[in-house]
Amino acid sequence: ILLSLFTLGVRGIDAWVGFTTFVVGLSFAFGGAVKVAFENFLFLFGGHPFDVGDKIFLGGTRMYEVKRVALQTTELDHFGEVRVIQNSTVRATEPLVNLSRSKMHWVTCDYLVDARLVTEGFLEKVKADLSLFLKKDPETYQQEFRIDSYEFVPPEKIKLTLMLTMRFSFEHLNRSRIAQSKAGIAFAQALHKHGAKYSTVIDFPEHVGSMMVK
């Protein structure tokens, strides 16, 4: 552009002022759009968080399948409900978990029992029974697990939380729910076997990594 202006006989200083004014005007008009497009490019091809066909958790509450990926937008499907979102929105505000790339996931089962029952001997017996249960299906369950017993609930109750890991991705939602239910039943049976007269199951949030038996 500057060479063309010089050829036409425009003075150098005038050509430079005109050129810089033109560039500044373009930056005001398109600077934001170029910045967003560049950031989207880095998000999709630099970070590469998902591919078409991947199952993802978005915002920590719902599972989607990626249907189409473009520079500005991504098309997601939630059991037939299609959602088109801005990539800049995902990048800036929504937690994203790629379930298709996650080899394992963990779940929890919570029960309330009488606090007086929860002794070290009681917990060791329950753990022994659960260990035998998990060994029967090593393809589904990781053999390591834990039982937390640090939260008291009035009146005179304590919450026992079983935490265990599944040996497959959470994108297989039905398989996860079935395996979780079986583990919850085995946990309840072990509690009853070793003295718990009754137990109450609490909560079932639909969040990856924090599911509980209903």
Side-chain angles (χ1 to χ4, degrees), residues 27 30-42 72 88 91:
S27 66
F30 303 105
V34 172
K35 177 177 179 293
V36 170
F38 180 70
E39 290 176 347
N40 286 338
F41 179 85
L42 293 180
Q72 298 289 349
S88 57
R91 185 181 64 251

Side-chain angles (χ1 to χ4, degrees), residues 52-64:
V52 173
D54 282 357
K55 301 288 181 61
I56 65 173
F57 252 107
L58 193 60
T61 57
R62 304 183 76 179
M63 184 171 70
Y64 295 92

Side-chain angles (χ1 to χ4, degrees), residues 37 102 193:
S102 303
K193 175 182 176 182

Side-chain angles (χ1 to χ4, degrees), residues 69-138:
V69 179
L71 184 60
Q72 298 289 349
T73 61
T74 296
E75 186 175 299
L76 305 174
D77 179 86
H78 177 72
F79 300 107
E81 175 188 334
V82 177
R83 178 185 179 189
V84 179
I85 57 173
Q86 296 289 329
N87 292 334
S88 57
T89 302
V90 177
R91 185 181 64 251
T93 62
E94 303 204 38
L96 187 152
V97 178
N98 191 322
L99 302 176
S100 297
R101 298 182 187 176
S102 303
K103 302 302 181 183
M104 297 185 292
H105 67 284
W106 61 269
V107 298
T108 63
C109 305
D110 287 0
Y111 285 90
L112 290 178
V113 299
D114 289 338
R116 60 182 178 81
L117 294 173
V118 184
T119 63
E120 184 175 343
F122 171 81
L123 291 176
E124 289 301 319
K125 292 176 182 178
V126 172
K127 289 178 181 178
D129 284 354
L130 285 173
S131 181
L132 292 175
F133 166 78
L134 297 179
K135 288 179 180 178
K136 294 178 182 178
D137 192 356

Side-chain angles (χ1 to χ4, degrees), residues 13-50:
I13 186 64
D14 293 336
W16 178 252
V17 171
F19 177 75
T20 54
T21 302
F22 175 74
V23 171
V24 170
L26 285 180
S27 66
F28 276 109
F30 303 105
V34 172
K35 177 177 179 293
V36 170
F38 180 70
E39 290 176 347
N40 286 338
F41 179 85
L42 293 180
F43 175 70
L44 293 176
F45 301 103
H48 197 66
F50 46 71

